Amino acid sequence: MPKTAGKKRNGAAQSSPYAKAKVTGANNIFKMKTEIGQHVLKNPGVAQAVVDKADLKQSDIVLEVGPGTGNLTMKILEKAKRVIAVELDPRMAAELTKRVQGKPEQKRLEVMLGDVIKTQLPYFDVCISNTPYQISSPLTFKLLATTPSPRVCILMFQREFAMRLFAKPGDRLYSRLSVNAQMWARIDHIMKVGKNNFKPPPAVESNVVRLVPKNPRPQISYEEWDGLLRVVFVRKNKTLRASFFGTTSVMDMLESNYRTWCAQNDVAVEDGPSESADGDAMDIAPNAEDREDEEEEEWDGIMDVDDEDDIPEFFKEEADRRTKEVHARNAKRRKKGKVAELIREKVRRILEDETELAEKRARSCDEGDFLKLLWAFNKEGIHFN
C-alpha cells in the first residue's frame, strides 16, 4: 500500500549509514576549535572595512594570520598582488585552498601551514589579521621585530588587549605593554566589532587597531628598555622609589649587572664588606601608599595581572635564565657590601636628583620619563639586561 511503502522508504533513508555519516562529517569538519581562538569573521561588511583601512596597493604582498575559511582572504585578494596566509589548523587550510581552486586567485594565494609565532616569515608589505586571542601579544611583538618592517598592520584583537595597546599614562589599562608597543609603533584605534559578527561568537567584544612601525626604529636596546619597564611595572601603583628599593631581587640584579659592566669596561671596583652598620641607611621611608610594601619582597619578574602576558615566550627565555643566575650568585651573599652600597646610592641619586622621578608612579610616567630614567642609569653603568 502506498502509505505503508512511504513510511518504509523514509525509515530506510533515515537509517542509511551513508546519509548519517555525511551529515556528521560535515558538522565535524566545520566545528570551530575555540580553544585555539577560532572565531570566523562572518560579516562581509566588517571584512571589507578592515581591508579598506589597510589602504592596499596593487603591488602589495599581504600577510594574513589565521585566515580560517577565507572570508577576509577573498576581500584582500581583490586588491593585493599576493596573499600569504598562515593557518594552524589543517582543516581550515584545506578549505581555504579549495575555495580558490581553479580560480585566478589561486596563483596569488600561498597557504603556509603552521604556528605563525614559530614560522620564519617571508617578506610582506602589510599584515592583516583576525588574531587568535591567545597569540595577541607574541604576534604583536613579532611583527614589530620583523625586518624590514611592514608598512602597516591592521589587527583585530580582544577589546581589552586592544585598549591596553593604545592606553595613555593615567589610564586604568596603561601597562608595560602600552609603553613597549608605543615605543616601536604608532598605534590608532580603528573600530569596534561586536561578538555577533563572528561564528561562533566569542565571549568578548573585539577592536581593530592600526600599527605603523616607526621607521627608522628607535636606536635603543629592546632588552634594556623592557628590562627597565619590567622593574617599574612590578606594581605600577607604587612609587618608583619603592619599585627599586622595596624589592631585594631588583637591587641584587642591578649590582650583578654593574659588576659585569665594570669587568667589561676595565673599571676597578672596590669590593668587600660594608663599613656601615646599617646596610639600609640610604633607603628612604616609603609614602603612606607604599607602607603595605614596606618589607622587601622578592621579584620574580611577574607583573600585575593586566601585564602577565605582555611579552612573548621568545623574549622571556633569556630573561628567565639571567634571573636564575642572579639568584644563584647572590644566594650566599646576604650582607651588603661596598658595591651594594654604591649601587643604592647611585639609584637614589638618579631617582631624586637627576630625574626627580622618585615620587612618581609607573602608571603616570610617559615614554619621555622612561627614556630619561634609562639614560641616567646607563650613564652610571647600571643596566637592565
Side-chain angles (χ1 to χ4, degrees):
M1 295 185 290
K3 188 173 183 180
T4 305
K7 287 183 178 180
K8 186 176 181 180
R9 284 196 297 272
N10 290 340
Q14 290 174 357
S15 62
S16 168
Y18 299 102
K20 185 175 181 180
K22 190 176 294 184
V23 173
T24 304
N27 288 336
N28 284 340
I29 290 174
F30 296 103
K31 183 178 180 181
M32 302 300 171
K33 296 181 179 179
T34 54
E35 67 273 12
I36 61 172
Q38 282 186 349
H39 299 279
V40 174
L41 180 63
K42 66 179 183 179
N43 188 329
V46 174
Q48 187 63 58
V50 170
V51 174
D52 290 344
K53 293 297 182 180
D55 194 21
L56 295 177
K57 304 175 182 178
Q58 292 183 348
S59 59
D60 279 341
I61 298 174
V62 178
L63 173 71
E64 185 186 6
V65 179
T69 56
N71 294 341
L72 192 55
T73 314
M74 301 307 292
K75 299 288 186 182
I76 300 172
L77 283 169
E78 292 176 3
K79 294 192 172 184
K81 176 182 179 181
R82 190 159 64 93
V83 175
I84 302 167
V86 184
E87 175 57 59
L88 181 63
D89 190 345
R91 305 171 310 154
M92 295 296 175
E95 178 64 22
L96 177 58
T97 302
K98 180 181 175 182
R99 189 164 180 175
V100 298
Q101 194 169 16
K103 297 180 179 179
E105 293 89 348
Q106 182 176 2
K107 295 181 179 179
R108 298 189 290 115
L109 174 64
E110 176 185 351
V111 180
M112 298 178 65
L113 185 61
D115 185 345
V116 67
I117 304 303
K118 301 176 182 178
T119 300
Q120 185 69 34
L121 298 174
Y123 172 83
F124 60 94
D125 300 294
V126 176
C127 177
I128 299 177
S129 172
N130 174 19
T131 312
Y133 295 155
Q134 291 87 339
I135 65 168
S136 296
S137 183
L139 176 62
T140 299
F141 285 95
K142 178 160 187 170
L143 293 173
L144 294 178
T146 299
T147 304
S149 301
R151 186 174 74 247
V152 65
C153 302
I154 306 296
L155 308 172
M156 182 112 59
F157 289 126
Q158 177 183 347
R159 179 158 298 172
E160 183 170 323
F161 181 88
M163 292 178 69
R164 286 165 62 197
L165 277 178
F166 55 80
K168 301 300 180 186
D171 292 350
R172 182 180 65 85
L173 293 176
Y174 187 65
S175 65
R176 190 171 100 256
L177 172 66
S178 314
V179 185
N180 253 330
Q182 292 171 33
M183 165 57 75
W184 308 106
R186 295 187 298 276
I187 304 174
D188 301 310
H189 174 248
I190 294 179
M191 62 181 177
K192 299 178 181 179
V193 181
K195 63 179 74 174
N196 292 328
N197 292 289
F198 300 89
K199 182 180 180 181
V204 295
E205 306 291 335
S206 300
N207 282 47
V208 180
V209 299
R210 180 195 290 111
L211 272 72
V212 181
K214 293 180 181 178
N215 192 11
R217 285 195 177 101
Q219 297 303 303
I220 183 174
S221 165
Y222 175 83
E223 289 76 15
E224 279 282 314
W225 175 253
D226 184 59
L228 170 64
L229 296 182
R230 289 176 70 85
V231 170
V232 298
F233 277 101
V234 169
R235 295 290 181 268
K236 65 181 181 181
N237 293 323
K238 290 169 59 176
T239 62
L240 295 184
R241 183 202 312 277
S243 293
F244 282 92
F245 287 119
T247 311
T248 305
S249 299
V250 170
M251 299 307 297
D252 288 344
M253 177 194 69
L254 297 183
E255 179 185 347
S256 176
N257 290 352
Y258 180 73
R259 289 175 180 272
T260 301
W261 179 83
C262 289
Q264 292 174 342
N265 292 274
D266 297 324
V267 177
V269 176
E270 185 180 356
D271 211 341
S274 171
E275 298 177 0
S276 172
D278 183 4
D280 291 329
M282 281 177 285
D283 287 5
I284 290 83
N287 291 336
E289 295 89 341
D290 295 323
R291 292 190 186 281
E292 62 184 32
D293 298 306
E294 189 170 3
E295 294 184 3
E296 289 189 336
E297 58 189 53
E298 290 294 325
W299 178 56
D300 56 5
I302 303 300
M303 306 296 108
D304 282 334
V305 173
D306 69 341
D307 290 317
E308 61 186 0
D309 294 324
D310 286 351
I311 303 301
E313 288 300 324
F314 50 83
F315 283 137
K316 289 181 181 177
E317 293 175 358
E318 181 65 13
D320 291 342
R321 182 185 67 79
R322 293 183 180 182
T323 300
K324 290 178 181 177
E325 288 181 357
V326 170
H327 287 176
R329 283 196 297 267
N330 291 285
K332 299 179 181 179
R333 190 173 68 243
R334 293 302 178 187
K335 294 183 178 180
K336 291 182 173 61
K338 292 182 179 179
V339 177
E341 283 195 352
L342 175 64
I343 293 300
R344 298 178 81 81
E345 173 57 23
K346 283 177 176 286
V347 172
R348 185 206 63 77
R349 189 170 64 249
I350 289 169
L351 292 177
E352 288 191 349
D353 303 334
E354 294 191 31
T355 65
E356 300 181 347
L357 293 172
E359 301 305 321
K360 221 172 176 183
R361 304 170 194 275
R363 69 186 182 197
S364 59
C365 291
D366 58 20
E367 183 180 290
D369 291 329
F370 293 124
L371 283 171
K372 186 196 304 183
L373 203 58
L374 183 60
W375 180 83
F377 276 115
N378 286 173
K379 187 181 67 168
E380 292 292 335
I382 299 177
H383 296 268
F384 296 87
N385 63 343

